[in-house]
Amino acid sequence: MTFRLEKLLEQLSKKEENEVLRNDVYLSMKNDLVKNPPAGKKKALQSKKKEVKEPSQDLEDRLLRNIKNIESTVAELSQVSTNQIMSWFQEWFSIAQQHPWIGEPNAMCISTISTKNLSSGDDKSAKSLLFPDSRFVLLKGRDNSKGVFTFFTNYESNKGKQLTAYPQCSLLFYWEPLHAAVRVQGVVEKTSDQVSDEYWNSRPYQSQLCSAVSEQSRTVENRGQLEKKLEQLNTKCEQDQKVPRPKHWGGFYVTALQIEFWKSGPYRFHHRVVFTRQNHTQTDKESWQAALLQP
Amino acid sequence: MTFRLEKLLEQLSKKEENEVLRNDVYLSMKNDLVKNPPAGKKKALQSKKKEVKEPSQDLEDRLLRNIKNIESTVAELSQVSTNQIMSWFQEWFSIAQQHPWIGEPNAMCISTISTKNLSSGDDKSAKSLLFPDSRFVLLKGRDNSKGVFTFFTNYESNKGKQLTAYPQCSLLFYWEPLHAAVRVQGVVEKTSDQVSDEYWNSRPYQSQLCSAVSEQSRTVENRGQLEKKLEQLNTKCEQDQKVPRPKHWGGFYVTALQIEFWKSGPYRFHHRVVFTRQNHTQTDKESWQAALLQP
């Protein structure tokens, strides 16, 4: 897959380069580029090296003050609005974005329900069991007025198929360096073609290529087969540097029915506040019940 | 809850202090202690301040070499032993332990299956739906010969009750700074009283107190109620500095049926290798099938 390293550097616009360094390229590839840069690129790449900062204690203090504020708000109000809850989420998210050790504050664990057929070696005793299945994806959008979180994936991947069979999921933001988490349970629906197209078109050409080539979660004989497919698609698309969005690739909206804010305490004496949407069929109705949970 | 700060410093043995600083105390509490230490403790506490190191690129390179090694092993062997898979896990885990930004390499997201009764405001249309539920816990043990992962919790917490109803779960180690994950799906069973006692007795007195006081996941009117219960139990126990293990507190073994190693690639062209146990009733039989998955 030599096209990657060579073409990459030619193609990277300033915008793409920033996006790539932030979200996509792992360090080993950055190293490859730094070690063997084409003429004229060496200086630019080296200056991209991220400065390592000591995290400010202030960030975690702000989170702690915030959850104490949530606790006292909840003690006074029996019902809380969607906008209020999402504004707390926004504040926590923004604190996570400021932490120098958190590379992807928008990374969230999405868990789905899968079905496994287990054979015990004797066909008669084969049985089907439900299993949760979990992986991290990136949050790509949010509707604060509705309590909706958006992400994109391959609808034919394991998670896509699982969400089609059981359109319920949990999302979990876990910001380890801040000792904080936000837990969401919700129902999913697919985004419109228009929304999926808009996001697809905003992605770098190389990400489009890789997503279009991958039959996500299906087996493959070896890595070489995938890289060959990638080169073939690249050859086909490289003239206009655009890859058409595959029909099976798109977004999911997760409408939250429950949101919990979790902040660790010493000796596991944590702070936990949970909000539960009271009327799940009317997502525009602002009726969330709040409760403090024991740690 | 003044007992905490005052007694803590008297009680901390060297061992406990290390345990506490590593696992339990969040920074704000450490700050309280540093600001107002009892005489003679000031210097010791300040020297505990963790040095911030720049993570070595070498760690991520090692992970990448490792997954390439797994990929080539898998291409040659149709079946892989439990010990071999767990030794790869051990290597990834050990790399995560060496990363200066990863505070709790043993943190893992455990996802369970829950049932939610959703009311749409009209009782007739109430329905019950399955939801995944997710939170982070700490891995506390491992049996490499059997592919078993152990953690401890309150059996009457939400996760405890969910695991009793559906004894299947997923575990997800996500080491964000290394852009790597290990995904496990497995079946659970409770540990023996003896194993639960052993781990309970190894915990610091304050952690025992907090766990014994918390009816985990149940609602509580306000934080003050919890702190009062904590003080009462402390008064009762402080003479011998031991809290008896509550009967509803103990461990779970997760016997893995599937383990996936995931290492990010540029533009989401990730490396994924999955191992599936072929005969789930014979955990001592080493029969895992391996496959490369598309990214």
Side-chain angles (χ1 to χ4, degrees):
Chain A
M1 210 171 58
T2 49
F3 89 95
R4 258 209 256 145
L5 293 184
E6 289 164 19
K7 299 240 167 133
L8 178 68
L9 284 155
E10 297 165 28
Q11 290 160 356
L12 289 180
S13 69
K14 203 74 191 165
K15 183 174 163 292
E16 273 180 336
E17 193 170 1
N18 286 335
E19 164 82 11
V20 162
L21 288 172
R22 200 176 62 244
N23 276 339
D24 283 275
V25 172
Y26 53 59
L27 294 171
S28 65
M29 184 166 178
K30 229 168 73 183
N31 263 17
D32 280 345
L33 294 173
V34 170
K35 276 181 204 151
N36 305 300
K41 279 281 180 184
K42 198 166 182 174
K43 209 174 163 186
L45 277 161
Q46 281 176 338
S47 71
K48 285 285 172 197
K49 195 179 162 194
K50 205 177 166 181
E51 223 179 282
V52 178
K53 289 181 194 161
E54 189 164 353
S56 160
Q57 171 56 30
D58 179 54
L59 293 174
E60 192 160 356
D61 288 345
R62 274 169 61 194
L63 265 190
L64 192 60
R65 279 198 300 276
N66 193 266
I67 196 144
K68 287 181 178 171
N69 172 252
I70 298 175
E71 283 173 343
S72 58
T73 304
V74 158
E76 284 163 30
L77 298 172
S78 62
Q79 297 212 330
V80 184
S81 73
T82 310
N83 269 319
Q84 172 65 80
I85 298 166
M86 294 301 280
S87 79
W88 283 322
F89 177 83
Q90 168 60 37
E91 193 164 336
W92 285 40
F93 189 77
S94 139
I95 290 172
Q97 283 178 309
Q98 292 166 56
H99 198 293
W101 296 359
I102 298 178
E104 296 186 315
N106 60 333
M108 57 185 189
C109 172
I110 175 160
S111 300
T112 49
I113 296 173
S114 66
T115 310
K116 256 193 165 44
N117 290 310
L118 297 179
S119 156
S120 60
D122 168 9
D123 275 353
K124 285 172 209 156
S125 66
K127 57 177 174 175
S128 172
L129 281 181
L130 293 174
F131 277 82
D133 201 0
S134 308
R135 77 294 284 161
F136 270 77
V137 297
L138 297 179
L139 177 71
K140 289 294 180 182
R142 209 162 70 223
D143 183 334
N144 286 343
S145 66
K146 293 184 181 163
V148 165
F149 300 82
T150 312
F151 71 96
F152 294 85
T153 189
N154 183 322
Y155 291 138
E156 292 172 6
S157 68
N158 283 343
K159 79 177 101 46
K161 285 189 274 192
Q162 288 159 7
L163 286 171
T164 303
Y166 295 95
Q168 296 94 253
C169 69
S170 77
L171 305 177
L172 174 51
F173 298 86
Y174 177 63
W175 298 302
E176 202 233 69
L178 289 166
H179 311 98
V182 178
R183 302 168 61 186
V184 175
Q185 284 182 303
V187 289
V188 305
E189 56 186 325
K190 288 182 183 174
T191 58
S192 66
D193 280 345
Q194 193 195 331
V195 167
S196 297
D197 280 334
E198 275 168 19
Y199 176 63
W200 178 267
N201 293 332
S202 78
R203 302 178 78 206
Y205 169 70
Q206 283 82 358
S207 298
Q208 293 178 343
L209 268 189
C210 292
S211 296
V213 157
S214 171
E215 296 179 86
Q216 196 177 32
S217 305
R218 296 197 199 177
T219 58
V220 63
E221 199 74 27
N222 58 57
R223 187 91 183 157
Q225 281 187 10
L226 285 176
E227 297 185 354
K228 199 170 167 188
K229 273 175 73 181
L230 200 55
E231 283 199 57
Q232 285 165 346
L233 187 62
N234 182 47
T235 307
K236 198 172 141 194
C237 296
E238 66 185 344
Q239 275 200 315
D240 64 355
Q241 294 290 303
K242 267 189 176 181
V243 187
R245 175 175 69 87
K247 281 291 160 219
H248 58 260
W249 195 99
F252 279 108
Y253 293 128
V254 181
T255 300
L257 302 184
Q258 188 167 302
I259 301 180
E260 179 183 328
F261 292 85
W262 179 96
K263 174 73 195 83
S264 77
Y267 302 110
R268 323 231 155 279
F269 206 62
H270 311 306
H271 295 263
R272 298 175 64 183
V273 186
V274 67
F275 299 96
T276 310
R277 205 191 282 263
Q278 289 307 284
N279 190 328
H280 79 284
T281 57
Q282 296 176 20
T283 54
D284 53 336
K285 203 177 159 191
E286 298 192 334
S287 53
W288 296 74
Q289 198 159 34
L292 263 55
L293 298 187
Q294 299 192 44
Chain B
M1 212 170 56
T2 50
F3 88 95
R4 258 209 257 147
L5 293 185
E6 290 164 19
K7 299 241 165 129
L8 177 68
L9 284 156
E10 298 165 29
Q11 292 159 356
L12 288 181
S13 70
K14 204 74 192 165
K15 181 172 163 295
E16 272 180 337
E17 193 169 1
N18 287 336
E19 164 82 10
V20 163
L21 288 173
R22 199 176 63 244
N23 276 338
D24 283 276
V25 171
Y26 55 57
L27 293 171
S28 65
M29 184 166 177
K30 229 169 71 183
N31 263 16
D32 280 344
L33 295 172
V34 170
K35 277 181 204 150
N36 306 300
K41 279 282 179 184
K42 199 165 180 173
K43 208 175 162 186
L45 276 162
Q46 281 176 337
S47 71
K48 285 285 173 199
K49 194 179 160 194
K50 204 177 167 183
E51 223 178 282
V52 178
K53 288 181 196 161
E54 188 164 352
S56 159
Q57 170 56 30
D58 179 52
L59 293 174
E60 193 161 356
D61 286 346
R62 274 168 61 195
L63 265 190
L64 192 60
R65 278 198 300 275
N66 193 266
I67 195 143
K68 286 181 177 170
N69 172 252
I70 297 176
E71 283 173 343
S72 58
T73 305
V74 158
E76 283 164 29
L77 299 171
S78 63
Q79 297 211 329
V80 183
S81 74
T82 311
N83 270 319
Q84 172 66 79
I85 297 167
M86 294 301 280
S87 79
W88 283 321
F89 177 83
Q90 169 60 38
E91 193 164 338
W92 285 41
F93 189 77
S94 140
I95 290 172
Q97 283 179 309
Q98 292 166 55
H99 198 291
W101 295 0
I102 299 179
E104 295 186 314
N106 60 333
M108 58 184 188
C109 173
I110 174 160
S111 300
T112 49
I113 293 173
S114 67
T115 310
K116 254 192 167 44
N117 289 311
L118 297 179
S119 156
S120 60
D122 168 8
D123 276 353
K124 285 173 209 155
S125 65
K127 57 176 175 174
S128 174
L129 280 182
L130 294 174
F131 278 82
D133 202 0
S134 308
R135 78 294 286 160
F136 270 77
V137 298
L138 297 179
L139 177 71
K140 289 293 180 184
R142 209 163 68 224
D143 183 334
N144 286 343
S145 67
K146 292 185 181 160
V148 166
F149 300 81
T150 312
F151 70 96
F152 295 86
T153 190
N154 183 323
Y155 291 139
E156 292 172 6
S157 68
N158 283 343
K159 78 178 104 45
K161 285 189 275 190
Q162 289 158 9
L163 285 172
T164 303
Y166 295 95
Q168 297 93 253
C169 70
S170 76
L171 305 177
L172 173 51
F173 297 86
Y174 176 64
W175 298 303
E176 203 233 69
L178 289 166
H179 311 98
V182 178
R183 302 167 62 186
V184 175
Q185 284 183 302
V187 290
V188 305
E189 57 187 324
K190 289 181 182 174
T191 58
S192 67
D193 280 345
Q194 193 196 332
V195 167
S196 296
D197 279 334
E198 275 169 19
Y199 177 64
W200 177 268
N201 294 333
S202 78
R203 302 177 79 207
Y205 170 68
Q206 283 82 356
S207 298
Q208 292 178 344
L209 269 188
C210 291
S211 294
V213 157
S214 171
E215 297 178 86
Q216 195 177 32
S217 305
R218 294 197 199 177
T219 58
V220 64
E221 199 75 25
N222 57 57
R223 188 90 184 159
Q225 282 186 9
L226 286 176
E227 297 185 353
K228 200 171 166 187
K229 274 174 73 183
L230 201 55
E231 283 198 57
Q232 285 166 347
L233 187 63
N234 183 47
T235 307
K236 197 173 141 194
C237 296
E238 67 186 343
Q239 277 200 315
D240 63 354
Q241 294 290 305
K242 266 191 177 179
V243 187
R245 175 176 69 87
K247 280 289 161 221
H248 58 262
W249 195 98
F252 279 109
Y253 294 128
V254 181
T255 301
L257 301 184
Q258 188 167 301
I259 301 180
E260 179 183 328
F261 292 84
W262 178 96
K263 174 73 195 81
S264 76
Y267 302 110
R268 323 231 155 279
F269 206 63
H270 312 307
H271 294 263
R272 299 175 63 184
V273 186
V274 66
F275 299 96
T276 309
R277 204 190 282 265
Q278 288 308 286
N279 190 330
H280 79 282
T281 57
Q282 296 176 21
T283 53
D284 54 336
K285 204 177 158 192
E286 298 193 335
S287 52
W288 296 74
Q289 198 159 33
L292 263 54
L293 298 187
Q294 300 192 43

